[in-house]
Structure formats: C-alpha cells, structure tokens
C-alpha cells in the first residue's frame, strides 16, 4: 500500500537549494540563507552559540519571553549581558537602544525580537538597525512572528542574523526554519573557538560543507515533509502576493482591536498604542477580578478551533491573545473570536455589545 506522505521520492540537494532561494526572495536578501531542520529555536540558539563567547558584550532587548531566553543562552556562552527590558505593553525605541550603546561602547552584539506574538507588541527594527549599524555591533533578529505579516528587510536594516519560522504569518509548518547570515556574522562565528562544530546547532557546518561546497551535498537527510510544506506555503505567498498578505494581517489586527473596544465588557488592548501592536496577534487585558484563562476556556467550549489563548505564566489571569495569523487572518475568524469572547464575558455577568463589535470589525475591514 502506498501513502502520499510516506512514499515520496528523495528530496535532492538541488530541490533543497531551490527552496532556500525562494526564502531569500521572500526576505529580499542577498545574504546566505540556510534552512534549518527544526523549529526556529534551533537556529536562534545556533546563532547565539556561534557568535557569542567570553569577551562578548551583548545588549539583549527584552520585550517578551523570548528575549529572556536569549539572555540565558548568551550567559551560557560566557558573554557579558546587558538586558534592556521594557514593559510588555509597549515597544522598545531606537533612542533607548542608542542610549544603551552609548553608555556601554563595548557592546558588540545586539539581540532583539521583531514581533512578540506572546505579548502582542512589535519593535521598530528599521530605526533600531540604523542605530546598531552606526555602533558597529552584530545584530541578531528573531523575525519568526513578523515574517509575512509586516515589512522585513534584513539587508536594508543591517540585520546580520535574521531567523524566521513558517508557522505563523506564513501559514506553513512549524518543524522547519531559516536564517539569513551576513558575511560579518560568518566571520564572527569562524573566529569563535566555542562555536558549535559537528553539531545540529552548527551554522558553520552548513557554511563550510553546504554553501562553500556549492550546495551539492546535504549534511544529512532533510525533513522531507516539512521541506515540501515550506515550499507549498512559499508558493501560496507568491500567489497571494507579499503585499496583500501583509495587508491582510494589518487589517485583521486593526479589526480585532476595534472590535474588542466596541465589544465592551471591560476588555482593553494590552498593548497601549496601536503603532506598537503586532499584526499577528492582538492581546487584550481583562477587567479586574475576571480571570482571562477562564474567559478563554468558556469561549473555546463554544468553538474549540478558535485562535484564542490566555497569556503565559503570570499573564494567564489578565491577558487574552487573539492569534490572527496565516489562514486565521480573516474577517470571519475575527468575528467569530470576538463573538465567542463576548459570550464568555456575558456569562460572567458583564455587559457586552456584540452588534457594535460586529459593526466595528466590518468597518475596519473595508
């Protein structure tokens, strides 16, 4: 018995390289692109362990939980870490980055998350990149949540290591990711005796054995299903058009924010300013005394496939996240998510206006 998921022809090196080229076009980059065979935490950790070492001084910007993880990895590598943390309801500014770099001229590595889906904020990378480039530090960007949802131009913005994943705005698989690497970043890793070698975390292995070898022989058997799924989602993005895809996400975010405000029930945007809100997810603050996780549980009981989740950790009692990315960045999904939240809030005895929310969403989508 044959099976379409199991009985596939092997993925050739040429096919693998062609998918890398499509990722490079998506990022408008001339830098080397490496597709890594795992979720995006794999290349993120690989970037840090490849570039950081004792003697490195890193500015680690924390606007959500992933920034905290990066700081831990940097310290594991022996780097001196200067954490720049801002409240999760806002974004970091280029001025704050400039102040930190001026105060600590020894900084030679900067790590930043573009859009924090977990907290619903996004950071002005173009402005930040200009500041980092003027300082001369190596710049690593986690663009897993932003790619496909908002502009992402690693070359123009001076990003040396730009990591993406396909599972959010791209609407693709979670088990494969990619990183664009500048020549400066390759040189930094090549000069680092602690950089991973002969390891799944080693980007240098891909550079020396794959890229420098002319992309003729893969390092190991590729994750074939994930690679084919990545190729399929790139084809879908190319058919829709990147500009249209970004517009769809921006509209979903604006509609969700407007609809939540019109709904009432004490819901408020968690990210104060709309300009700081990520287009992939809208986070909402529940009123005092209302447990966000209970509201989400009631909403999902009515429709378990809705893209609703309570905040993580300490935020679980006060934050609701509406994930409107990929195939969920549609008016229908936003309508359904807000209607379910409205029903759950009404069950808690709060006054909501479902019709006002519906009108606000419809108006924002025009």
């Amino acid at each position: 018995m044959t099976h379409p998921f199991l009985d596939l022809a092997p993925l050739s090196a040429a096919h693998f390289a062609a998918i890398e080229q499509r990722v490079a076009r998506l990022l408008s980059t001339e830098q080397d692109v490496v597709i890594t065979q795992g979720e995006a935490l794999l290349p993120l950790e690989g970037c840090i362990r490849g570039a950081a070492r004792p003697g490195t001084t890193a500015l680690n910007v924390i606007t959500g939980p992933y920034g905290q993880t990066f700081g831990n990895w940097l310290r594991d590598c022996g780097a001196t870490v200067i954490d720049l943390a801002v409240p999760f309801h806002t974004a970091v500014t280029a001025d704050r980055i400039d102040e930190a770099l001026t105060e600590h001229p020894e900084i030679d590595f900067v790590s930043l998350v573009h859009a924090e889906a977990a907290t619903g904020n996004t950071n002005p990378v173009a402005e930040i990149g200009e500041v980092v480039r003027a300082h001369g530090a190596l710049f690593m960007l986690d663009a897993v949540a932003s790619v496909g949802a908002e502009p992402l131009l690693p070359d123009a913005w001076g990003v040396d290591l730009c990591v993406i994943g396909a599972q959010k705005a791209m609407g693709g698989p979670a088990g494969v990711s990619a990183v664009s690497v500048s020549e400066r970043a390759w040189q930094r890793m090549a000069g680092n005796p602690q950089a991973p070698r002969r390891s799944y975390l080693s980007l240098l292995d891909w550079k020396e054995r794959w890229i420098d070898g002319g992309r003729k022989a893969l390092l190991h058997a590729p994750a074939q299903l994930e690679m084919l799924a990545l190729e399929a989602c790139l084809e879908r993005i190319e058919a829709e058009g990147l500009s249209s895809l970004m517009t769809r996400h921006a509209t979903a975010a604006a509609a969700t924010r407007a609809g939540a405000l019109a709904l009432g029930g004490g819901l408020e945007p968690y990210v104060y300013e709309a300009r700081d809100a990520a287009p992939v997810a809208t986070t909402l603050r529940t009123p005092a005394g209302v447990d966000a996780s209970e509201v989400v549980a009631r909403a999902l009981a009515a429709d378990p496939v809705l893209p609703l989740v309570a905040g993580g950790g300490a935020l679980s009692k006060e934050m609701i996240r509406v994930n409107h990315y990929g195939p969920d960045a549609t008016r229908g999904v936003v309508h359904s998510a807000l209607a379910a939240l409205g029903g759950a809030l009404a069950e808690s005895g709060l006054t909501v206006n479902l019709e006002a929310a519906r009108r606000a969403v419809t108006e924002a989508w025009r």
Side-chain angles (χ1 to χ4, degrees):
M1 176 181 289
T2 62
H3 193 288
F5 289 164
L6 298 178
D7 302 301
L8 298 168
L11 191 75
S12 68
H15 194 172
F16 192 102
I19 299 172
E20 283 184 333
Q21 290 171 2
R22 289 179 109 153
V23 172
R25 287 197 297 271
L26 176 70
L27 297 177
S28 298
T29 184
E30 298 296 325
Q31 299 176 358
D32 290 325
V33 168
V34 175
I35 294 178
T36 47
Q37 305 293 281
E39 199 271 339
L41 283 173
L42 172 67
L44 285 166
E45 185 173 359
C47 287
I48 287 176
R49 296 198 182 278
R53 57 188 289 190
T56 296
T57 301
L59 177 65
N60 180 51
V61 184
I62 302 175
T63 59
Y66 285 104
Q68 294 168 331
T69 298
F70 299 163
N72 293 336
W73 286 338
L74 286 161
R75 290 181 178 91
D76 285 346
C77 294
T80 299
V81 181
I82 299 162
D83 286 324
L84 173 57
V86 301
F88 290 176
H89 62 252
T90 187
V92 72
T93 65
D95 286 344
R96 291 288 305 277
I97 302 290
D98 192 29
E99 289 169 6
L101 294 174
T102 300
E103 185 178 353
H104 301 278
E106 70 276 18
I107 290 171
D108 59 6
F109 185 91
V110 175
S111 52
L112 174 72
V113 178
H114 190 179
E116 288 269 12
T119 48
N121 55 34
T122 191
N123 294 301
V125 181
E127 299 167 23
I128 292 169
E130 185 175 350
V131 170
V132 174
R133 181 163 42 194
H135 182 79
L138 204 71
F139 188 16
M140 185 192 90
L141 184 69
D142 173 348
V144 174
S146 60
V147 61
E150 57 187 301
L152 175 62
L153 300 167
D155 291 15
W157 297 348
V159 179
D160 295 288
L161 294 159
C162 183
V163 175
I164 66 168
Q167 70 268 30
K168 288 189 167 64
M170 290 177 65
V176 66
S177 48
V179 54
S180 65
V181 187
S182 73
E183 184 57 36
R184 286 201 323 148
W186 285 132
Q187 292 172 4
R188 175 76 67 92
M189 287 186 277
N192 181 6
Q194 289 192 177
R197 298 282 192 147
R198 295 169 296 281
S199 163
Y200 220 56
L201 288 171
S202 177
L203 294 176
L204 283 174
D205 286 355
W206 283 95
K207 163 68 170 167
E208 295 171 359
R209 296 169 54 192
W210 171 244
I211 296 172
D212 292 348
R215 292 183 170 87
K216 298 185 182 304
L218 289 162
L219 274 63
H220 44 69
Q224 181 154 331
L225 291 176
E226 285 77 8
M227 288 296 294
L228 294 175
L230 174 61
E231 183 178 43
C233 89
L234 289 165
E235 290 174 350
R236 189 162 61 182
I237 291 169
E238 291 164 1
E240 179 176 357
L242 182 58
S243 178
S244 295
L245 178 63
M246 291 190 291
T247 298
R248 180 159 59 84
H249 281 83
T251 305
T256 304
R257 190 178 185 92
L261 287 168
L263 180 65
L267 282 184
E268 296 178 349
Y270 188 86
V271 177
Y272 292 172
E273 301 292 338
R275 66 173 182 271
D276 296 335
V280 289
T282 297
T283 47
L284 303 169
R285 190 186 303 272
T286 53
V290 176
D291 189 315
S293 61
E294 293 179 4
V295 174
V296 169
R298 282 195 290 269
L300 292 178
D303 189 347
V305 302
L306 289 174
L308 298 171
V309 64
L315 298 175
S316 64
K317 294 187 178 300
E318 65 181 52
M319 178 194 284
I320 295 170
R321 191 170 84 232
V322 184
N323 292 324
H324 39 70
Y325 53 69
D328 288 330
T330 67
R331 179 167 54 183
V333 168
V334 173
H335 274 307
S336 297
L338 291 175
L341 288 176
L345 290 168
E347 287 180 25
S348 300
L350 297 167
T351 300
V352 297
N353 191 332
L354 292 172
E355 179 56 26
R358 188 194 67 78
R359 288 197 304 268
V361 170
T362 300
E363 182 63 28
W365 218 277
R366 288 178 179 170

